Amino acid sequence: MREDFVRWLFVLAVAFQWRNGAEALRCYACTYVSGQQSDTVCIDDPEKVEGQRIVTCDKKYCTIMRQELKDPAGKVNSFVRDCVESPQFLNDMIEDATFKTYFRSCMTDLCNDGDGIRNGDSILNPDGNGPGENLLVPGITGKATLTHKIPAFLTLTLTLFVQFVRRLQYFH
């Protein structure tokens, strides 16, 4: 029984080390500002941006912020692909009198490759378009979102712990 306990502790330690030693997130990083640039490659095809188009990010999220003018409708005023620790908005669209601004956030390598308008499969989205993080809760007025995500490490640790407890019960 003592050997099993030591084995499970070793497995947990390896899993913890593996999680902490995981590669950093890679994100597209570029900016477009209307009136200052005529090249829209950052918006249309981030793979073709010259210079450092991909950054190694020590933060949690790859993001897109797309700001369009309301008049003329759909004209992109600014567009940013970046990486951040805690986005102001995970996946939302905010409107005011002048602009319609889209915010997109995701947590996998090079997932901020979309147009910024739609939630693509690589963007965290539980409504049938891929894996989810934002959960829209019916019955709450306004645009309420509930963030719900269990990291893989926590799932692995919990699974190993349950197996360990089962083994302890087996020996008693």
Side-chain angles (χ1 to χ4, degrees):
M1 184 165 108
R2 186 173 175 90
E3 289 175 2
D4 282 341
F5 180 74
V6 171
R7 271 191 219 128
W8 284 111
L9 284 179
F10 176 76
V11 169
L12 284 174
V14 168
F16 182 75
Q17 183 62 33
W18 170 76
R19 170 69 173 130
N20 287 340
E23 272 188 47
L25 183 64
R26 295 180 316 134
C27 302
Y28 288 105
C30 59
T31 303
Y32 167 82
V33 179
S34 178
Q36 295 180 10
Q37 298 165 260
S38 59
D39 185 3
T40 61
V41 70
C42 180
I43 301 168
D44 304 326
D45 194 356
E47 279 282 325
K48 295 183 179 171
V49 171
E50 291 188 22
Q52 188 177 1
R53 68 180 184 269
I54 297 173
V55 296
T56 301
C57 180
D58 62 350
K59 297 175 174 65
K60 291 183 183 177
Y61 294 91
C62 295
T63 59
I64 298 173
M65 187 281 301
R66 177 186 181 116
Q67 183 182 62
E68 295 180 352
L69 291 169
K70 288 184 118 180
D71 187 24
K75 180 177 179 355
V76 178
N77 186 59
S78 62
F79 191 97
V80 178
R81 297 180 192 275
D82 200 3
C83 73
V84 300
E85 183 65 30
S86 181
Q88 182 179 6
F89 302 99
L90 285 174
N91 290 301
D92 212 342
M93 190 270 295
I94 308 294
E95 285 187 72
D96 63 24
T98 309
F99 301 110
K100 186 183 285 190
T101 307
Y102 299 88
F103 297 91
R104 302 294 176 228
S105 304
C106 54
M107 299 174 76
T108 58
D109 277 350
L110 304 177
C111 59
N112 63 336
D113 60 347
D115 63 6
I117 296 173
R118 290 171 303 212
N119 283 347
D121 284 345
S122 61
I123 302 291
L124 302 169
N125 184 7
D127 61 3
N129 294 331
E133 179 164 298
N134 291 342
L135 178 62
L136 298 179
V137 181
I140 296 178
T141 59
K143 281 189 172 181
T145 60
L146 172 66
T147 301
H148 176 74
K149 182 167 177 68
I150 299 176
F153 173 71
L154 181 59
T155 304
L156 174 65
T157 303
L158 187 58
T159 301
L160 292 174
F161 180 74
V162 167
Q163 289 178 359
F164 173 73
V165 169
R166 284 183 181 162
R167 286 185 182 256
L168 280 178
Q169 291 173 350
Y170 175 76
F171 288 109
H172 279 50

